[in-house]
Amino acid sequence: MTWQEKVGPDRFYLLNFDRLCDHPREEILKLAAFLQRSPEDIPLDDLIAIPRIPSSRNRYQEHDFQQFGDERLQAVRDFGFHIEASS
């Protein structure tokens, strides 16, 4: 069960930073909808210009995830993130 399912879809919104950087317009519109804001009520063009992909992106792939244990790795997956645990 995801956090959103546990607390209710109207009380929890997970903003995925990678998706925000890759598709700012779509992700900002989703966030606005969650906040019950009309796209006309927000400075959409200004907000779209803010996200920047950091140079550290994807550096997590260089690490051995097994150090965190199966339970913690599953918790990350439950938040909707795809991770590959190295062996």
Side-chain angles (χ1 to χ4, degrees), residues 26-65:
E26 293 85 358
E27 294 303 315
I28 291 169
L29 288 173
K30 287 179 192 176
L31 177 59
F34 174 78
L35 297 172
Q36 299 178 347
R37 301 297 303 243
S38 168
E40 294 81 31
D41 294 341
I42 61 173
L44 187 58
D45 291 334
D46 293 336
L47 293 172
I48 288 171
I50 294 173
R52 297 282 184 261
I53 298 172
S55 61
S56 61
R57 185 177 189 170
N58 294 327
R59 77 172 169 203
Y60 70 91
Q61 295 173 342
E62 301 169 10
H63 299 281
D64 176 14
F65 292 120

